[in-house]
């Protein structure tokens, strides 16, 4: 991080602006909003500055710059059109350890003005560290449309209750949970509709409600890895949780988005490497919720597709714990889209079957007769280790050895790799390409469409073919 974002209180603090033109005026307007005591130093001033001075908003000092002018200032801004003067201002401030901004000359700045979204008292500052101001401005425009106007009045309302809430809840965690409940309640919609008195009354009632806060578990699907595939709801709940219980399958980029001060508990789960037993994870979720915590149980893909979400929710329901289930994009949908493979296609596949290569109980066999039928797609999860068996069974039950296959490793992530081959070569190609988990097998005529439809921006490594694929009809 090149600049530490801080919000400074300039109320009644002396600030020197060197320069008397339009550029200086823009900065001065921001400084006056923050109630700084502004002195403008320049040999001459534009009309607006003279007007502001006549209104008593600032002082004008008609002079050429000399280093002593910065003495005693909290901040200094150089906004002249003369590079030498700007450099002198910067040097003088630096020599006295005073923060200085030189307009449009980032190397000479010890602080920079960010782009601002102003919903007083909520202020959002955006900076590109001077590298891409237009990008920062566009981001600001996006945020302007996303952040509702009522957020300012809401912050003002809750600000008035802060001391009372501090008095009622001694521990920081309890206060935080209280505020989370407030922001999930009708207090927000009341402020939004202008019913400030109603919002105030409800906040008051919530504060006097002595019932213990209830815990809750959010069973959240995080999708296959690309953080942009998270749903808005998943993101909201990840931000609300006190505790996040996660698997290895959840990508690092997604874990970056959970609340900074949430407790993180990894319960492992890789085929053959279960660091925490499923029963212990179930019990952990129940106990955390019983302690009144908001628990985000985050899982790769969709929680109800080979994610043991069903087992966990059964245990929560039996223990009378409140829960929410948030679907995620399952690996089959994510991997196929990012590899340019439609799972169904009117010409090639009328059905799709989701299959696991890793059954719970030994001896539990799949219905190979049904899986080997042509003109359907198999999306096989956890199939890498068992690929020789899968290949042998499908061939033995009549699937052609030339059936196209795609192996998608790390689907939707930056490291996505797609290997395409034919069913007769599946296990050999998995070994030859050293395919690692997580990887999904897509078996069926549609896999050949990867060649035609893959957008290589989404696929880091180009597909490799065991042998040229027969062109599909
Ligand atoms: C325990 S299952 C979990 C599936 C998950 N609940 C879902 O809906 O995608 C793990 C398997 O999903 C597949 N998988 C999950 N994420 C993947 C990814 N990003 N790329 C390829 N395969 C993935 C792999 O087959 C992996 O072995």
């Amino acid at each position: 991080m090149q600049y530490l974002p801080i919000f400074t209180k300039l109320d009644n603090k002396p600030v020197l602006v060197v320069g008397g033109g339009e550029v200086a005026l823009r900065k001065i307007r921001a400084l006056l909003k923050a109630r700084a005591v502004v002195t403008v130093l320049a040999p001459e001033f534009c009309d607006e500055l003279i007007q502001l001075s006549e209104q008593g908003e600032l002082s004008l000092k008609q002079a050429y710059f000399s280093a002593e002018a910065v003495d005693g200032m909290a901040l200094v801004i150089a906004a002249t059109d003369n590079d030498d003067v700007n450099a002198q201002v910067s040097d003088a401030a630096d020599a006295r350890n005073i923060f200085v901004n030189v307009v449009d000359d980032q190397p000479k700045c010890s602080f920079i003005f960010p782009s601002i979204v102003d919903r007083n008292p909520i202020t959002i500052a955006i900076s590109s560290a001077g590298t891409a101001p237009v990008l920062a401005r566009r981001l600001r425009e996006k945020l302007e449309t996303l952040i509702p106007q009522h957020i300012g009045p809401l912050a003002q309302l809750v600000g008035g209750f802060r001391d009372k809430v501090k008095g009622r809840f001694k521990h920081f965690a309890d206060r935080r949970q209280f505020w989370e409940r407030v922001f999930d309640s009708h207090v927000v919609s009341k402020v939004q509709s202008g019913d400030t008195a109603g919002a105030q009354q409800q906040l008051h009632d919530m504060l006097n409600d002595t019932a213990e806060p209830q815990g809750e578990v959010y069973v959240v699907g995080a999708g296959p890895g690309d953080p942009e595939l998270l749903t808005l709801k998943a993101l909201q709940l990840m931000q609300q949780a006190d505790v996040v219980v996660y698997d290895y399958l959840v990508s690092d980029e997604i874990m970056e988005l959970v609340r900074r001060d949430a407790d993180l508990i990894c319960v492992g789960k890789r085929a053959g490497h279960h660091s925490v037993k499923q029963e212990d994870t179930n019990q952990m979720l129940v106990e955390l919720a019983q302690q009144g915590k908001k628990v985000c149980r985050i899982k790769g893909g969709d929680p109800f597709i080979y994610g043991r979400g069903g087992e966990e929710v059964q245990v929560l329901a039996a223990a009378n714990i409140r829960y929410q289930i948030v679907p995620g994009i399952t690996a089959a949908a994510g991997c196929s889209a990012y590899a340019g493979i439609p799972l169904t296609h009117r010409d090639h596949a009328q059905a799709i079957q989701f299959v696991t290569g890793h059954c719970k109980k030994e001896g539990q066999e799949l219905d190979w007769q049904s899986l080997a039928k042509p003109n359907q797609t198999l999306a096989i999860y956890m199939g890498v280790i068992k690929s020789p068996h899968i290949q042998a069974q499908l061939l033995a039950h009549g699937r052609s050895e030339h059936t196209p296959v795609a192996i998608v490793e790390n689907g939707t992530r930056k490291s996505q790799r797609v290997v395409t081959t034919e069913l007769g070569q599946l296990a050999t190609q998995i070994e030859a390409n050293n395919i690692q988990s997580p990887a999904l097998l897509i078996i069926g005529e549609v896999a050949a469409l990867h060649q035609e439809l893959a957008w290589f921006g989404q696929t880091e490594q180009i597909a490799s073919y065991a042998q040229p694929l027969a062109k599909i009809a």
Side-chain angles (χ1 to χ4, degrees):
M1 192 168 23
Q2 288 181 48
Y3 293 86
L4 176 73
I6 53 172
F7 290 85
T8 55
K9 195 172 174 195
L10 280 183
D11 201 355
N12 266 325
K13 292 267 179 351
V15 176
L16 178 72
V17 179
V18 183
E22 285 292 320
V23 181
L25 183 66
R26 280 206 299 274
K27 301 294 177 198
I28 288 166
R29 288 217 168 96
L31 294 166
L32 291 178
K33 267 190 169 182
R35 295 191 292 271
V37 179
V38 178
T39 303
V40 189
L41 186 150
E44 50 196 40
F45 306 99
C46 65
D47 292 345
E48 287 91 334
L49 284 175
I50 295 170
Q51 210 177 339
L52 283 170
S53 146
E54 285 167 359
Q55 290 162 359
E57 301 273 344
L58 46 78
S59 318
L60 300 181
K61 198 167 168 186
Q62 194 162 24
Y64 288 100
F65 176 75
S66 62
E68 304 76 57
V70 306
D71 284 336
M73 294 291 162
L75 278 185
V76 172
I77 290 142
T80 78
D81 52 8
N82 182 321
D83 288 348
D84 292 339
V85 175
N86 286 346
Q88 285 170 34
V89 178
S90 170
D91 291 346
D94 270 346
R96 291 160 177 80
N97 278 329
I98 300 170
F99 280 112
V100 61
N101 176 274
V102 181
V103 178
D104 282 339
D105 195 349
Q106 191 231 340
K108 293 201 180 71
C109 295
S110 55
F111 83 93
I112 50 181
F113 282 89
S115 291
I116 289 172
V117 180
D118 188 359
R119 298 282 188 280
N120 186 37
I122 301 288
T123 313
I124 301 170
I126 306 147
S127 146
S128 64
T131 53
V134 176
L135 190 60
R137 199 205 69 223
R138 293 186 69 148
L139 257 176
R140 198 204 72 166
E141 284 164 9
K142 276 208 165 141
L143 287 173
E144 285 280 6
T145 57
L146 283 176
I147 315 277
Q149 291 291 344
H150 73 266
I151 211 83
L154 181 63
Q156 264 153 12
L157 174 73
V158 304
F161 274 76
R162 271 195 78 189
D163 289 343
K164 289 183 196 133
V165 173
K166 257 191 180 165
R168 160 92 165 76
F169 300 104
K170 297 287 166 242
H171 298 295
F172 170 76
D174 295 337
R175 289 199 291 275
R176 201 185 53 68
Q177 274 191 12
F178 172 77
W179 286 122
E180 298 284 4
R181 282 203 302 285
V182 168
F183 295 129
D184 283 340
S185 74
H186 289 305
V187 170
V188 178
S189 49
K190 283 184 176 147
V191 174
Q192 198 166 7
S193 63
D195 180 10
T196 314
Q200 224 160 2
Q201 183 59 47
Q202 181 162 353
L203 233 171
H204 188 266
D205 294 347
M206 287 176 81
L207 194 57
N208 292 322
D209 180 0
T210 47
E212 282 299 310
Q214 274 196 335
E216 190 171 6
V217 179
Y218 315 128
V219 181
V220 170
D226 181 347
E228 293 193 355
L229 292 180
L230 273 176
T231 60
L232 287 178
K233 189 157 193 175
L235 191 59
Q236 271 166 13
L237 296 178
M238 284 159 66
Q239 294 281 336
Q240 279 176 29
D242 303 306
V243 187
V244 177
V245 179
Y246 68 101
D247 297 340
Y248 286 127
L249 205 53
V250 180
S251 71
D252 293 346
E253 288 103 319
I254 287 175
M255 288 306 294
E256 280 290 308
L257 299 174
V258 303
R259 230 192 69 218
R260 290 266 168 238
D261 52 349
D263 291 337
L264 304 184
I265 304 176
C266 178
V267 289
K269 284 200 183 52
R270 272 183 192 143
H273 301 86
H274 288 192
S275 47
V276 178
K277 283 198 201 130
Q278 186 60 50
E279 294 70 25
D280 295 342
T281 303
N282 299 346
Q283 194 51 33
M284 183 192 297
L285 296 178
V286 169
E287 283 170 12
L288 287 167
Q290 280 169 342
Q291 291 161 21
K293 299 206 164 125
K294 305 239 182 267
V295 185
C296 181
R297 172 66 176 114
I298 186 164
K299 292 167 171 290
D302 180 90
F304 279 4
I305 297 181
Y306 304 126
R308 308 230 182 145
E311 295 166 48
E312 291 175 11
V313 172
Q314 276 178 309
V315 173
L316 295 172
N320 255 331
I321 304 289
R322 279 171 16 151
Y323 56 82
Q324 295 185 44
I325 302 157
V326 182
I329 291 186
T330 190
C335 295
S336 61
Y338 278 45
I341 299 171
L343 290 176
T344 66
H345 187 294
R346 282 201 300 171
D347 296 334
H348 312 300
Q350 281 71 48
I352 152 94
Q353 296 206 49
F354 290 2
V355 184
T356 173
H358 178 79
C359 292
K360 185 174 176 184
K361 293 184 195 127
E362 277 308 314
Q364 237 180 12
E365 260 303 338
L366 296 164
D367 180 357
W368 293 109
Q369 199 65 53
S370 148
L371 296 175
K373 286 188 182 142
N375 294 104
Q376 65 167 334
T377 308
L378 304 182
I380 307 190
Y381 293 69
M382 296 168 281
V384 169
I385 294 170
K386 292 273 179 71
S387 59
H389 180 66
I390 293 167
Q391 175 182 337
Q393 288 293 337
L394 289 174
L395 294 177
H397 287 81
R399 201 52 157 132
S400 159
E401 64 178 319
H402 297 300
T403 306
V405 173
I407 305 148
V408 186
E409 181 191 78
N410 282 317
T412 79
R413 303 176 186 201
K414 290 194 186 102
S415 51
Q416 170 172 296
R417 195 156 64 117
V418 182
V419 174
T420 43
T421 183
E422 297 180 341
L423 182 58
Q425 297 289 320
L426 172 63
T428 318
Q429 283 301 310
I430 284 182
E431 203 180 338
N433 288 285
N434 189 23
I435 297 293
Q436 301 294 318
S437 181
L440 184 92
L441 315 182
I442 302 176
I443 301 178
E445 290 72 7
V446 289
L449 290 170
H450 165 74
Q451 286 166 286
E452 194 182 321
L453 302 183
W455 169 47
F456 288 104
Q458 290 176 320
T459 306
E460 281 279 308
Q461 304 212 21
I462 314 283
S464 78
Y465 299 92
Q467 51 190 298
L469 286 166
K471 198 86 184 136
I472 57 173

